[in-house]
Amino acid sequence: MFATPAFAQSAGASAPGVAGQILGIAPLVLIFIAFYFLMIRPQQKRMKVLQTALANIKKNDTVVTAGGLVGKVTRVEDRHVEVEIAPNVRVRVVKATIAEVTPLGGKPAND
């Protein structure tokens, strides 16, 4: 009633065979490849570097926690680190919440 016969006949037609299916899936594959190289792979590299730094953390390293506390490591345990955030003020921090590790004698941020 609302569609002409010519429009109704072409509505079910699509590209024939395997070539039409590949052309339909190709944009999704290209988007996934772009996401992998632009987002997933760099994040995996950053996480690997952070995990290595956390495994090698030692006394007198400067750390930044995910909450924004900056301090010097005074004691390292298996899952926790004791951090001095001010003179005679020490807190225990879970290693998983450390966002950045700077070794002793590292270059200052403003140089």
Side-chain angles (χ1 to χ4, degrees), residues 58-81:
K58 58 189 178 297
K59 187 175 179 180
N60 292 328
D61 285 348
T62 303
V63 296
V64 179
T65 66
L69 292 175
V70 179
K72 185 185 288 188
V73 176
T74 58
R75 186 172 61 174
V76 179
E77 297 174 4
D78 187 34
R79 296 182 70 186
H80 297 92
V81 175

Side-chain angles (χ1 to χ4, degrees), residues 3-14:
T4 64
F7 181 71
Q9 289 174 354
S10 66
S14 63

Side-chain angles (χ1 to χ4, degrees), residues 23-52:
L23 288 176
I25 295 174
L28 295 173
V29 172
L30 291 175
I31 289 172
F32 177 76
I33 291 171
F35 270 104
Y36 177 76
F37 283 107
L38 295 176
M39 295 176 65
I40 298 170
R41 192 166 173 235
Q43 179 64 25
Q44 288 176 342
K45 285 184 178 182
R46 277 190 297 258
M47 288 304 296
K48 186 183 284 187
V49 169
L50 180 61
Q51 292 300 324
T52 304

Side-chain angles (χ1 to χ4, degrees), residues 50 54 57 61-73 81 83 85 93-102 109:
L50 180 61
L54 288 177
I57 197 168
D61 285 348
T62 303
V63 296
V64 179
T65 66
L69 292 175
V70 179
K72 185 185 288 188
V73 176
V81 175
V83 178
I85 57 175
V93 176
V94 177
K95 277 188 178 182
T97 63
I98 295 176
E100 183 181 336
V101 178
T102 306

